[in-house]
Amino acid sequence: MTGQPKISLQDVRKSFGPKDVLTGINLDVAPGESVVVIGGSGTGKSVLLKCILGILTADSGIIEVDGENVTHVAANDREETNKKFGMLFQGGALFDSLPVWENVAFGLIQGRHMNRKDAKDRAIETLAKVGLADTVGDLTPSELSGGMQKRVGLARAIAGSPEIVFFDEPTTGLDPIMADVINDLIVACVKDQGITALSITHDMASARKIGDRIAMLYHGKLVWVGNAKEVDHSGNEFVDQFVHGRAEGPIKMELRR
């Protein structure tokens, strides 16, 4: 990588009591690049995102955004950094009591204090980018299918023209066809707007499609980082087992008895 990374993680560590979750993460994400972190459930993928977002504070190491060390910056002092971020949550996290357009515009109204008319116009415009008609804006989330809710979540993530978007299991709960539709929308939105993307998923079809590079997280460390096109012949036994979904291999499931 040449030039300054958009996101830089240097020996990032996080534990909860005696449980070590992140044990030394090193990763740079270039401007405009899409990096996908794969790994099984409970391997620390969400903890990694939360540390970057400032929801959790890393125990040690350095997290930089555009060269600024934000590792131990208090949440109240991260406003300018957080303006660069958009987020697509795993479960959608839509507000049932608000119409769709207001869900999309929530950050614009509450965070940036945009007037409601301009915010609604922006929301309708953004809904169109994810293939939803303006009439959808007046519906409630409960009136939408799972795939449409995911599109609304994506619209909300990009409505504020963020520089960086985080995708948390973007295809969870979707059938394979709708998952592919969401993957295509993510690729289009990221590339069209020059967004830097960091995603976490265990869906390999999604990882292959939306990632420029893929990183494998296991036991708190990135055991492989490489071009997405190389993931199926990485030469790494952990990646190989995960990609092909084999029970036998170096990755051992921790079963309670």
Side-chain angles (χ1 to χ4, degrees):
M1 179 188 298
T2 58
Q4 179 176 275
K6 197 70 175 173
I7 302 171
S8 180
L9 308 174
Q10 303 162 40
D11 196 29
V12 174
R13 297 170 182 268
K14 181 64 179 177
S15 300
F16 297 95
K19 183 173 178 57
D20 297 326
V21 179
L22 304 178
T23 58
I25 300 296
N26 294 282
L27 180 68
D28 287 344
V29 183
E33 183 182 28
S34 177
V35 173
V36 179
V37 179
I38 61 173
S41 300
T43 54
K45 301 189 302 298
S46 293
V47 171
L48 178 62
L49 278 196
K50 289 176 181 177
C51 286
I52 300 171
L53 288 162
I55 298 171
L56 295 172
T57 301
D59 297 331
S60 62
I62 297 174
I63 299 172
E64 294 180 342
V65 177
D66 285 330
E68 179 186 358
N69 187 340
V70 298
T71 317
H72 298 290
V73 176
N76 293 338
D77 298 325
R78 285 179 55 113
E79 184 175 354
E80 289 305 311
T81 298
N82 290 343
K83 285 180 180 178
K84 300 179 180 182
F85 297 159
M87 178 80 186
L88 175 59
F89 296 93
Q90 178 176 345
L94 301 178
F95 298 103
D96 292 336
S97 60
L98 299 178
V100 164
W101 78 262
E102 199 164 344
N103 269 280
V104 175
F106 187 82
L108 302 175
I109 296 171
Q110 301 298 327
R112 303 191 183 184
H113 309 294
M114 183 181 288
N115 71 69
R116 291 178 65 82
K117 180 183 182 304
D118 289 345
K120 185 172 184 178
D121 289 344
R122 175 80 68 85
I124 297 303
E125 175 185 317
T126 310
L127 285 170
K129 291 180 179 179
V130 298
L132 294 175
D134 54 3
T135 52
V136 173
D138 293 320
L139 301 177
T140 62
S142 63
E143 296 177 279
L144 306 180
S145 67
M148 292 176 73
Q149 289 183 19
K150 193 71 77 169
R151 292 191 193 201
V152 172
L154 177 57
R156 180 174 60 187
I158 65 173
S161 300
E163 299 175 30
I164 302 168
V165 177
F166 300 94
F167 297 100
D168 184 358
E169 300 284 4
T171 56
T172 293
L174 301 179
D175 66 71
I177 294 175
M178 182 51 66
D180 198 48
V181 169
I182 296 299
N183 289 332
D184 284 341
L185 286 170
I186 289 173
V187 171
C189 290
V190 168
K191 297 304 180 185
D192 289 349
Q193 299 186 41
I195 290 170
T196 302
L198 182 61
S199 310
I200 59 174
T201 188
H202 57 262
D203 180 347
M204 286 310 305
S206 181
R208 292 184 186 95
K209 176 158 273 190
I210 69 177
D212 297 317
R213 284 191 299 148
I214 293 176
M216 171 87 184
L217 182 61
Y218 180 66
H219 275 191
K221 290 186 179 293
L222 296 178
V223 296
W224 183 83
V225 181
N227 191 295
K229 296 178 181 178
E230 300 171 355
V231 72
D232 290 299
H233 46 87
S234 67
N236 181 287
E237 58 181 349
F238 294 94
V239 176
D240 187 59
Q241 181 187 354
F242 186 84
V243 166
H244 296 98
R246 292 197 292 260
E248 296 298 323
I251 301 174
K252 304 300 181 183
M253 297 299 295
E254 296 181 3
L255 302 177
R256 293 185 177 181
R257 289 182 170 83

